[in-house]
């Protein structure tokens, strides 16, 4: 096994196999969207029941606030090493909420992996470069590579979190204008805002699981938080998108000043459709520049082979016949 892993060709084959598996997983993952939607809606339903239960307990005991607990080994390590102070980040809670992670357990897990990832990356790189295969590199260059792996491990949790936030925001904003249109129809038909939001969360699930989850959580918070404004502000903070922030501001003002909610929703739906269209136009405008390098590396060589290949074969045949 060691000799197999130390061969660069075998290592390259393993990497190619992993990339092929990742590609197939990406292409086939949308087929499991229904099961994922049901699982996440079930989790939101459990969150709703927990809010209801804790709200009743708070009212019965005269205490306020809803707080979750975490009793894992990661929490023990974070508390014993005081990682929340050592690796303190004032925006980490908001970032975790934007990525879809709520409660103290993801926070402890983030701090744990941010502390452990540099050592894990360092150990793997050192074990491979100093035990398996040194690739003929000098000692100082291998030490530099190991330290670079440790630095990458330190920033790896933040990179993963940023990618998760970007994908989640994209999924939400692709379906948000349609959700506003559905919400407008439900409100103008006579539904209350809580019923309308719950209905839209059920209908928008096939288009965006993340948006359905956020709307279901918004409906739960509207029912059990002491102020409805807190629920709208929480939605804006969890999504961190200017379009949703403007919508939540309009809904808060509509409830505060009694202005028609339907007019505000119609205007906000139009603005969010324009934002979605401008984002699509921006991606389309950047596409030619992004395709330049793939065209040079992959398309042009194949095109040259297809065009010049028959001509070269004919020239070789002519030269053979003339020489014979």
């Amino acid at each position: 096994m060691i000799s197999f892993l130390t061969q660069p060709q075998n290592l390259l084959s393993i990497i190619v196999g992993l990339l092929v598996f990742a590609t197939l997983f990406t292409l086939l993952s949308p087929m499991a969207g229904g099961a994922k939607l049901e699982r996440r809606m079930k989790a939101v339903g459990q969150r709703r029941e927990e809010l209801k239960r804790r709200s009743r307990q708070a009212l019965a005991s005269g205490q306020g606030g809803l707080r979750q607990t975490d009793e894992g080994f990661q929490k023990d390590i974070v508390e014993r090493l005081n990682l929340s102070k050592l690796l303190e980040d004032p925006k980490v809670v908001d970032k975790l909420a934007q990525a879809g992670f709520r409660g103290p357990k993801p926070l402890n897990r983030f701090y744990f992996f941010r502390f452990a990832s540099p050592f894990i990356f360092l150990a793997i790189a050192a074990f491979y470069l100093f035990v398996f295969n040194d690739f003929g590199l000098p000692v100082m260059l291998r030490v530099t590579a190991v330290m670079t792996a440790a630095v990458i491990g330190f920033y790896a949790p933040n990179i993963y979190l940023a990618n998760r936030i970007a994908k989640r925001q994209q999924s939400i904003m692709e379906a948000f204008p349609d959700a506003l249109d559905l919400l407008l129809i439900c409100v103008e038909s006579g539904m209350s805002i809580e019923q309308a939001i719950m209905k839209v969360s059920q209908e928008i699930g096939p288009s965006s699981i993340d948006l359905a989850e956020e709307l279901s959580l918004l409906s739960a918070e509207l029912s059990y938080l002491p102020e409805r404004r807190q629920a709208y502000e929480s939605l804006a903070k969890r999504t961190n998108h200017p379009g949703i922030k403007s919508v939540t501001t309009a809904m808060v003002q509509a409830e505060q000043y009694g202005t028609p909610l339907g007019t505000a929703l119609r205007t906000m739906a139009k603005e969010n459709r324009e934002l979605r269209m401008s984002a699509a136009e921006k991606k389309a405008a950047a596409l030619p520049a992004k395709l330049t390098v793939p065209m040079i590396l992959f398309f042009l060589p194949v095109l040259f082979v297809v065009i010049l290949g028959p001509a070269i074969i004919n020239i070789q045949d002519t030269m053979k016949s003339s020489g014979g």
Side-chain angles (χ1 to χ4, degrees):
M1 180 63 69
I2 294 176
S3 61
F4 178 80
L5 292 175
T6 52
Q7 296 296 326
Q9 294 181 352
N10 297 332
L11 185 61
L12 181 62
S13 301
I14 293 173
I15 295 175
V16 171
L18 292 176
L19 292 176
V20 172
F21 174 78
T23 303
L24 293 176
F25 179 79
T26 303
L27 294 176
L28 297 178
S29 59
M31 298 182 181
K36 187 184 294 185
L37 174 62
E38 294 178 359
R39 184 173 66 252
R40 294 178 71 169
M41 289 299 100
K42 183 178 179 181
V44 173
Q46 294 175 355
R47 171 66 174 168
R48 175 189 293 272
E49 294 299 326
E50 183 181 359
L51 284 171
K52 183 190 298 185
R53 177 177 57 82
R54 292 178 179 272
S55 179
R56 290 175 179 175
Q57 290 178 355
L59 290 175
S61 61
Q63 299 175 356
L66 301 172
R67 187 172 183 84
Q68 297 177 341
T69 58
D70 179 24
E71 299 297 336
F73 76 96
Q74 296 173 351
K75 176 190 174 183
D76 297 335
I77 295 177
V78 170
E79 290 182 349
R80 290 180 181 179
L81 299 178
N82 199 16
L83 297 181
S84 58
K85 296 293 183 181
L86 181 63
L87 304 174
E88 185 177 4
D89 186 355
K91 296 182 180 180
V92 65
V93 177
D94 295 338
K95 290 181 180 179
L96 288 172
Q98 294 166 18
F101 302 118
R102 292 177 291 273
K105 189 173 182 179
L107 180 61
N108 293 328
R109 185 179 302 167
F110 176 80
Y111 279 130
F112 172 79
F113 279 105
R114 193 173 181 187
F115 172 76
S117 294
F119 299 102
I120 295 174
F121 277 60
L122 186 145
I124 293 175
F127 188 70
Y128 190 84
L129 291 177
F130 286 93
V131 177
F132 276 175
N133 192 351
D134 58 1
F135 296 101
L137 299 175
V139 177
M140 289 304 299
L141 193 56
R142 282 181 283 167
V143 171
T144 303
V146 170
M147 298 305 298
T148 303
V151 173
I152 294 174
F154 180 77
Y155 289 103
N158 286 331
I159 295 174
Y160 169 78
L161 197 61
N163 291 334
R164 181 70 180 265
I165 291 172
K167 291 180 180 179
R168 198 166 188 270
Q169 285 183 346
Q170 182 180 0
S171 174
I172 289 174
M173 293 314 301
E174 286 178 353
F176 189 64
D178 299 332
L180 286 180
D181 291 334
L182 293 175
L183 187 62
L184 175 62
I185 294 172
C186 294
V187 169
E188 290 185 342
S189 67
M191 287 186 179
S192 64
I193 188 63
E194 292 89 349
Q195 293 176 344
I197 291 175
M198 180 55 65
K199 182 65 177 178
V200 172
S201 68
Q202 296 172 357
E203 296 294 331
I204 207 66
S207 299
S208 175
I209 300 176
D210 298 312
L211 181 57
E213 184 181 17
E214 289 295 338
L215 292 178
S216 299
L217 188 57
L218 173 62
S219 177
E221 290 180 344
L222 285 173
S223 301
Y224 301 112
L225 286 180
E227 294 185 7
R228 300 164 66 87
R229 180 178 180 179
Q230 295 180 2
Y232 292 126
E233 291 177 350
S234 297
L235 175 64
K237 186 179 294 186
R238 289 194 304 267
T239 54
N240 193 28
H241 192 277
I244 297 181
K245 288 182 179 179
S246 61
V247 171
T248 55
T249 302
M251 296 177 76
V252 170
Q253 292 177 352
E255 290 197 1
Q256 185 175 0
Y257 299 108
T259 57
L261 185 59
T263 304
L265 289 176
R266 186 176 290 107
T267 304
M268 292 296 106
K270 181 180 178 181
E271 291 181 357
N272 279 273
R273 278 194 296 269
E274 291 176 353
L275 285 175
R276 183 173 62 179
M277 183 61 68
S278 62
E281 292 175 351
K282 183 178 179 181
K283 287 185 177 180
L287 192 60
K290 293 180 179 180
L291 284 177
T292 302
V293 175
M295 284 282 292
I296 295 174
L297 293 179
F298 301 106
F299 290 97
L300 291 181
V302 176
L303 187 63
F304 288 151
V305 170
V306 172
I307 294 176
L308 300 178
I312 293 174
I313 294 174
N314 291 332
I315 293 173
Q316 290 178 350
D317 293 339
T318 303
M319 293 176 65
K320 288 180 180 179
S321 62
S322 63

